[in-house]
Amino acid sequence: MEFDKFTEKSKAVLQKAQTLAMRSNHPSLEPEHLLKVMLEDEDGLTERLVQAAGGNGARMKKAAEAAIAKLPSVTGSGAGGLRISTDLAKMLDNALQLAEKAGDKYVTIERILQSMVMAKQKSELGVIMADSGMSPASVGVNLLWRGPG
């Protein structure tokens, strides 16, 4: 993954998601970890983006927390390194492709959120997004404004 192509804000939320996963004793970093920390960010950028796209941020955060609570945890001698899940790797790669197609030099929070909304409907992340009122069409239109992400 080309993390040098991510904005400082995007890198910061990825680090926070990693910390959340490690503290929860999860063996892999999942999209739901990233979504939760994005929605908790103090500047409220993700919450504003979700609202602009017609989504329900509170519902989304609650669903992300519920999904995280269901993830397996590993403690003791079997606990080891944290890996990036395949779902998260694909979602971040998609965000990178979206940024490149838009002519952006860096992957912003907006592109990460857009990629999350484009997740397969049957995936946990796809269900969370759809149930929270988010659709690829609404996000594509409403992420055209450039925030500080």
Side-chain angles (χ1 to χ4, degrees):
M1 185 60 52
E2 300 175 64
F3 289 110
D4 58 319
K5 293 191 177 185
F6 285 69
T7 64
E8 291 304 314
K9 181 142 190 76
S10 295
K11 290 177 191 177
V13 295
L14 282 164
Q15 288 177 328
K16 287 179 182 178
Q18 180 180 3
T19 299
L20 171 62
M22 287 185 338
R23 288 182 179 164
S24 302
N25 297 314
H26 294 147
S28 62
L29 181 58
E30 299 290 341
E32 295 80 13
H33 292 113
L34 183 57
L35 179 60
K36 182 180 187 303
V37 299
M38 286 171 59
L39 289 165
E40 291 176 340
D41 197 44
E42 65 254 4
D43 72 4
L45 175 61
T46 302
E47 181 69 35
R48 289 192 309 274
L49 292 168
V50 168
Q51 288 176 352
N56 183 324
R59 177 181 288 162
M60 189 180 293
K61 183 178 173 191
K62 189 173 182 177
E65 289 170 345
I68 290 168
K70 290 190 282 185
L71 293 172
S73 61
V74 179
T75 57
S77 62
L82 181 70
R83 67 172 187 84
I84 294 178
S85 73
T86 302
D87 288 344
L88 182 60
K90 286 180 182 178
M91 191 271 306
L92 292 174
D93 185 58
N94 188 41
L96 180 60
Q97 290 177 34
L98 289 167
E100 288 172 352
K101 285 180 186 176
D104 298 337
K105 290 184 179 184
Y106 297 99
V107 177
T108 62
I109 295 294
E110 292 92 339
R111 295 295 174 216
I112 292 172
L113 183 62
Q114 187 178 17
S115 179
M116 286 179 166
V117 174
M118 296 171 71
K120 292 181 182 177
Q121 292 298 329
K122 292 184 180 181
S123 72
E124 185 77 32
L125 184 63
V127 170
I128 290 171
M129 290 296 166
D131 288 351
S132 300
M134 301 289 283
S135 72
S138 67
V139 171
V141 169
N142 291 298
L143 289 185
L144 295 177
W145 71 278
R146 301 304 304 162

